[in-house]
Amino acid sequence: MLTGKEARTVVLGHLLRGGTPTAHDRLLGTRFGAAAVRAIEEGFDGVMVALNEPRVDYVPLKEAIGSMRVVPLDCDTVMTARDIGISFGDG
């Protein structure tokens, strides 16, 4: 401690999400990483990996950013958020 101050490393993704990674988080990260390596080995360029259960697919970046995607307001995730008091500024 050259500064005399305590320093710690923090993985912001997990801090923001609110907890330590679960087995599902770790497996998904492994699947994404392996699929990314396979994409490179197969000669893909300009793609991202995306979860499309039960597969991890390659999606061209132009397609991924080509249009805005929205979450339907009547989906259970939005309704649950509203039920627990989360505001989306539209009500």
Side-chain angles (χ1 to χ4, degrees):
M1 292 197 305
L2 298 174
T3 63
K5 303 288 183 185
E6 180 181 3
R8 297 181 187 185
T9 60
V10 176
V11 179
L12 286 179
H14 302 312
L15 176 68
L16 294 173
R17 197 193 88 230
T20 57
T22 63
H24 180 266
D25 296 329
R26 293 177 191 277
L27 179 58
L28 186 59
T30 301
R31 289 175 68 192
F32 280 162
V37 170
R38 282 193 302 273
I40 293 168
E41 288 176 337
E42 295 171 20
F44 284 91
D45 188 26
V47 297
M48 62 173 240
V49 293
L51 184 61
N52 186 15
E53 291 286 4
R55 301 176 316 278
V56 174
D57 290 333
Y58 308 136
V59 177
L61 290 176
K62 287 184 179 183
E63 181 183 318
I65 64 170
S67 64
M68 184 180 343
R69 287 157 179 83
V70 297
V71 176
L73 295 178
D74 62 347
C75 81
D76 72 299
T77 304
V78 172
M79 292 188 303
T80 300
R82 292 183 194 281
D83 288 344
I84 63 172
I86 295 174
S87 171
F88 294 98
D90 61 349

